[in-house]
Amino acid sequence: METEIVLPLLAYLVGIAALSVFAARKQRQGNFLTEYFLGNRSMGGFVLAMTITTTYISASSFIGGPGAAYKYGLGWVLLAMVQVPAVWLSLGVLGKKFAILARRYNAVTLNDMLYARYGSTLLIWLASLSLLIAFIGAMTVQFIGGARLLETAAGIPYDTGLLIFGGTVALYTAFGGFRASVLNDAMQGVVMLIGTFLLLFAVIHQAGGLHAAVEKLHAIDPKLLSPEGPGDIINPTFLTSFTVLVCFGVIGLPHTAVRCISYKDSKAVHRAIILGTIVVVILMLGMHLAGALGRAVLPNLTVPDSVIPTLMITVLPPLAAGIFLAAPMAAIMSTINAQLLQASATLVKDLYLRVAPHQMENEARLRALSGTITFVLGILLLVAAWNPPDMIIWLNLLAFGGLEAVFLWPLVLGLYWERANAAGAISGMVVGGSCYAFLASLNWQIGGFHPIVPALLLSLLAFLVGNLFGRVPQPVDAPPH
């Protein structure tokens, strides 16, 4: 174990803990649920940009994505850039309209919004169940990424790294709530940007320059320089599927959508769209290019997901590697805390308080219950991450697709189509989720497309057909807080 690598990382974890304590002390008086799960809707433009970007950019982008670029070459770098409009789409499509309705309905969670819009308890139970199942897979990926990072870069055994990493995230998220989450996201976004610049520069330098790195890739396999990649995996149908999955479909991700109801004003949204898009460009290009060019430095890795942490300890001095190990760690932590809070909000606000509304006024009980559930969920995910697969990007995309297949059309059509009703939304959820689960579990790719494409098409069709059999709902106020 490299002490020079571990000490800066420990200092970083201590810094995160201190920021969480600060956030807990800054929690404002008023409704506990709104504060704990939304930070009293007080985010400015910079914090909103960083939290929505770092929530989206996860272990898949810092570990799995560069691992795929290492395996498939520069074509995967180009493929990764289809994610550039993701922040603009999320804030542009949902942003203002979503936040206005959330304030009108006094909504704290995504399911509050769905209930206020469609007035269906069944829809809320289906949405909650779908969210929790998909988040188990998505958060497990993040825990695996964090532990694998510590194992490869710091020499910490996987199991020990998992306990250190998972315990830290579970504690600071449970203790500080949404405010701690977004403040840490802002700090982590800055760390990610600095780490990306320095790592890419060091990789190019170690390879002998950009031209030399490209020549080495060509010597390994000329296909590493082609848009299609080895095995011609990046074909038009794959490109279409990937674009739907990681760009357009992002609008339907609950943990991203909830960021769209927690900002301060419209000025914050406009600033966040510009800043967030710039940050996504830098991080996506920088990290995936580092992964692809890293093969010129480390041509014989057997586990592609280990490329970024291995590059860190290879091309950077130990102290610098320890400092910038925090960059991918930050990406992973920021995604976990968003998903962990969303899962906790689903259990506490959408399920528990729906069956026990008399507990709404018991703030002390809600405070204890929210923190406890958040922490326990984190510990359960440690167990789920104990035996990891070799490439986490596929597991992460599987979970992403499930969420999008269930939530995309009920969210978008609920906002923009006045006649959308509960029968349509439930039909779309059931058909989209079932179709995706069926095709993904059997690894069926109709016409070569990823399961998300037929799942979203059938979900839209089911929504439109189901909508014929329901009534236009009258808006229902979310339960008073």
Side-chain angles (χ1 to χ4, degrees), residues 150-297:
L150 292 175
E151 178 186 37
T152 307
I156 298 173
Y158 178 85
D159 296 349
T160 305
L162 187 60
L163 290 172
I164 294 172
F165 174 78
T168 301
V169 176
L171 277 172
Y172 90 73
T173 307
F175 184 68
F178 186 88
R179 194 176 293 275
S181 172
V182 297
L183 286 177
N184 276 303
D185 286 351
M187 179 183 74
Q188 289 160 351
V190 173
V191 170
M192 288 157 65
L193 285 169
I194 296 172
T196 298
F197 272 118
L198 290 179
L199 180 64
L200 180 58
F201 174 81
V203 168
I204 294 174
H205 177 75
Q206 183 78 12
L210 187 59
H211 182 70
V214 171
E215 286 187 337
K216 289 175 183 177
L217 291 181
H218 186 271
I220 294 170
D221 184 350
K223 279 286 190 179
L224 291 172
L225 305 182
S226 72
E228 298 82 14
D232 295 331
I233 183 174
I234 308 172
N235 51 48
T237 54
F238 187 89
L239 175 62
T240 302
S241 299
F242 198 79
T243 303
V244 171
L245 188 60
V246 301
C247 185
F248 173 70
V250 170
I251 301 168
L253 293 177
H255 54 293
T256 301
V258 79
R259 260 60 184 163
C260 298
I261 65 174
S262 54
Y263 61 83
K264 184 167 52 178
D265 50 35
S266 58
K267 185 178 179 181
V269 177
H270 298 150
R271 186 174 297 167
I273 288 175
I274 297 170
L275 287 175
T277 301
I278 292 170
V279 172
V280 169
V281 170
I282 294 170
L283 294 179
M284 286 297 171
L285 180 61
M287 291 309 300
H288 286 81
L289 193 56
L293 298 179
R295 191 155 180 180
V297 179

Side-chain angles (χ1 to χ4, degrees), residues 11-275:
Y12 176 71
L13 295 177
V14 169
I16 284 177
L19 200 56
S20 298
V21 172
F22 171 78
R25 290 184 174 179
K26 292 289 285 185
Q27 285 181 358
R28 300 175 183 177
Q29 297 299 316
N31 182 266
F32 165 72
L33 293 173
T34 304
E35 170 60 43
Y36 187 82
F37 292 120
L38 289 181
N40 268 335
R41 312 183 204 272
S42 59
M43 277 196 294
F46 174 76
V47 175
L48 177 60
M50 286 303 184
T51 190
I52 201 165
T53 304
T54 55
T55 296
Y56 172 66
I57 293 177
S58 62
S60 182
S61 304
F62 258 73
I63 304 294
Y70 177 92
K71 186 173 182 178
Y72 300 115
L74 296 180
W76 196 277
V77 179
L78 292 175
L79 181 69
M81 299 312 291
V82 304
Q83 300 171 77
V84 167
V87 172
W88 176 80
L89 280 172
S90 295
L91 289 175
V93 174
L94 297 180
K96 288 186 179 180
K97 196 172 181 70
F98 205 56
I100 290 169
L101 292 176
R103 283 165 169 80
R104 181 187 303 170
Y105 300 145
N106 201 20
V108 172
T109 68
L110 179 64
N111 283 339
D112 278 348
M113 291 287 291
L114 291 174
Y115 182 74
R117 175 62 181 84
Y118 294 110
S120 170
T121 303
L122 175 60
L123 184 146
I124 300 309
W125 282 93
L126 286 173
S128 299
L129 184 62
S130 302
L131 186 148
L132 292 171
I133 291 172
F135 269 5
I136 289 172
M139 288 188 288
T140 300
V141 166
Q142 310 307 322
F143 275 80
I144 292 170
R148 189 167 278 160
L149 197 60
L150 292 175
E151 178 186 37
T152 307
I156 298 173
Y158 178 85
D159 296 349
T160 305
L162 187 60
L163 290 172
I164 294 172
F165 174 78
T168 301
V169 176
L171 277 172
Y172 90 73
T173 307
F175 184 68
F178 186 88
R179 194 176 293 275
S181 172
V182 297
L183 286 177
N184 276 303
D185 286 351
M187 179 183 74
Q188 289 160 351
V190 173
V191 170
M192 288 157 65
L193 285 169
I194 296 172
T196 298
F197 272 118
L198 290 179
L199 180 64
L200 180 58
F201 174 81
V203 168
I204 294 174
H205 177 75
Q206 183 78 12
L210 187 59
H211 182 70
V214 171
E215 286 187 337
K216 289 175 183 177
L217 291 181
H218 186 271
I220 294 170
D221 184 350
K223 279 286 190 179
L224 291 172
L225 305 182
S226 72
E228 298 82 14
D232 295 331
I233 183 174
I234 308 172
N235 51 48
T237 54
F238 187 89
L239 175 62
T240 302
S241 299
F242 198 79
T243 303
V244 171
L245 188 60
V246 301
C247 185
F248 173 70
V250 170
I251 301 168
L253 293 177
H255 54 293
T256 301
V258 79
R259 260 60 184 163
C260 298
I261 65 174
S262 54
Y263 61 83
K264 184 167 52 178
D265 50 35
S266 58
K267 185 178 179 181
V269 177
H270 298 150
R271 186 174 297 167
I273 288 175
I274 297 170
L275 287 175

